[in-house]
Each structure stands twice: as structure tokens, then as C-alpha cells.
Amino acid sequence: MIEQYLTLFVVSRIITITIETCVLFFITKIFRKSQKLNNRRILLTGILASTITLPVLRFVLPNLFQNYDNFVIFGEIFVTIAEIFIIKFLLNISRRKAIIASIICNVVSFVLGLFII
């Protein structure tokens, strides 16, 4: 049981990092018109944001909620807000751009995740 859960977590982590990093690259291409953003920094930001938030979403937050719907709603909001700060800090972009990037990354990841897993 635990092995299956950990395997699912590893697969989810790989999928989440891949999706969110690709989306972040696409979004930052739009931002690059006004700012020079390093590809390595974008890659690191995508990996780090998911690496920090996904374990909290998978292992901590489910223990705080009885209702699955409340967990999903709160969890996605929490992850999005946390990633706003990570993206803003690591990419040194405006708060507005970080909010847009985090929301788009998480919406795309969530929706694709519904179809993949």
C-alpha cells in the first residue's frame, strides 16, 4: 500500500514538474520581451516550486481535511500562492507576472493531471 502511494507520488512529481516547467518556459517567453530570463533559472524555478509544494500537497494537507473537495480546493490555492512567492523570488519578476505564471502553471497542471492520472 505505501509502496503504491510512493510510486504514485514519484510519477505525479515527474509529471507535475514536467508540465509546470514547460508552461513556465512558455509564459516566460512572453515576459522575455521586457526582461532577460535565464533558461537555467527558469528550469530551476519550475523544479524547485513543484519540489517544495507537492510533498505538502500530497502528505501534509490530506491529514487536515475530512472532505476531499475542500482538500483539493484549499490545496490548489495553497500551492498556487506558495509558488507565486517562489517564482517571484527566483525569477526576480513583478508580483503580477508571478501571479499570472503560478495560476496558469497550476491550472494547466491540475487539468492535465485529471486526464493523466
Side-chain angles (χ1 to χ4, degrees), residues 71-82:
F71 155 68
V72 170
I73 292 166
F74 180 83
E76 288 301 321
I77 291 170
F78 168 79
V79 165
T80 301
I81 291 170

Side-chain angles (χ1 to χ4, degrees), residues 15-88:
I15 292 169
T16 301
I17 287 172
T18 302
I19 292 170
E20 291 190 11
T21 302
C22 288
V23 172
L24 188 61
F25 265 108
F26 177 75
I27 293 168
T28 55
K29 280 210 175 262
I30 296 168
F31 297 161
R32 286 183 185 179
K33 293 177 184 175
S34 61
Q35 280 181 275
K36 297 285 186 200
L37 295 173
N38 181 299
N39 286 340
R40 277 187 249 164
R41 184 170 280 212
I42 297 167
L43 179 63
L44 174 66
T45 301
I47 292 170
L48 194 58
S50 294
T51 299
I52 291 170
T53 58
L54 193 58
V56 175
L57 183 66
R58 294 285 184 182
F59 298 117
V60 177
L61 294 180
N63 297 317
L64 303 176
F65 293 92
Q66 298 291 334
N67 182 294
Y68 181 77
D69 293 337
N70 291 341
F71 155 68
V72 170
I73 292 166
F74 180 83
E76 288 301 321
I77 291 170
F78 168 79
V79 165
T80 301
I81 291 170
E83 290 181 2
I84 288 168
F85 291 102
I86 295 167
I87 291 168
K88 179 176 180 1

